[in-house]
Amino acid sequence: MTNGTLFDLAFALAAPFWALLIFAPGWRWTDRIAASPLPMVPVLAVYLALAVPVFPQLWAAVSSPGLAGFRELVALGGGAGAIWAQVIAWDLFLGQWMYREARALGVHPLVTGPLLALTVLLSPIGVLLFLGIRAVLRLRTGRCLQAPGGPAPDGTRPNRAPGPTAAR
């Protein structure tokens, strides 16, 4: 396959999963798919197919970051394609997390869908908006960020079931 075909394939492999997250929220298969890392695997395979041939240039660009090295990498068809596939895989990872988090917080799909669509196109903006909405909802519900098993917002500790005991 050519670099151009692989470049196009990266998004084509992710698009059906984005469509499920945006247009079929709540469907049991969407929930299952959103909980799995498997949707990213084909896109990551495309990444590898593009990255391996340009690995020396890729390694140079990431091990000693600089604009000049990045420009050289992107000038290579496989380099630009590899970065594109990496972005597509990362965006899908973020989208799956946003979908699950929105479902857990009870965010209406008519809010979540446009945020996910924005994340497909401009992930930093979509993610920042989602994080803002998430923070507001967590503050309203008292679900502040805390370490697992840490005190609840009212200062109490959650009840814990006793751990397994050894048979005597």
Side-chain angles (χ1 to χ4, degrees):
M1 273 191 217
T2 67
N3 288 338
T5 302
L6 289 169
F7 182 94
D8 294 339
L9 186 59
F11 184 75
L13 290 168
F17 299 109
W18 279 108
L20 283 175
L21 298 175
I22 295 168
F23 298 114
W27 184 43
R28 67 183 178 125
W29 284 102
T30 302
D31 290 342
R32 287 180 181 180
I33 289 167
S36 172
L38 294 179
M40 289 176 283
V41 171
V43 181
L44 293 173
V46 170
Y47 166 80
L48 288 173
L50 289 161
V52 167
V54 296
F55 188 77
Q57 297 88 343
L58 177 63
W59 182 252
V62 298
S63 64
S64 180
L67 189 55
F70 185 74
R71 281 186 183 146
E72 289 175 22
L73 176 63
V74 173
L76 303 170
I83 294 204
W84 177 248
Q86 180 178 333
V87 168
I88 296 297
W90 180 249
D91 285 355
L92 185 55
F93 177 77
L94 286 171
Q96 288 178 271
W97 173 78
M98 289 169 58
Y99 173 88
R100 291 189 320 271
E101 195 70 4
R103 300 270 300 153
L105 291 169
V107 178
H108 197 280
L110 291 177
V111 173
T112 306
L115 283 172
L116 289 170
L118 185 58
T119 301
V120 171
L121 302 171
L122 299 167
S123 61
I125 296 170
V127 171
L128 282 173
L129 286 173
F130 178 77
L131 289 174
I133 291 169
R134 178 179 178 255
V136 168
L137 289 173
R138 291 183 126 207
L139 285 173
R140 283 187 182 169
T141 62
R143 292 177 57 192
C144 299
L145 294 175
Q146 66 184 32
D154 64 1
T156 62
R157 288 232 175 245
N159 291 331
R160 291 188 184 191
T165 57
R168 294 183 188 212

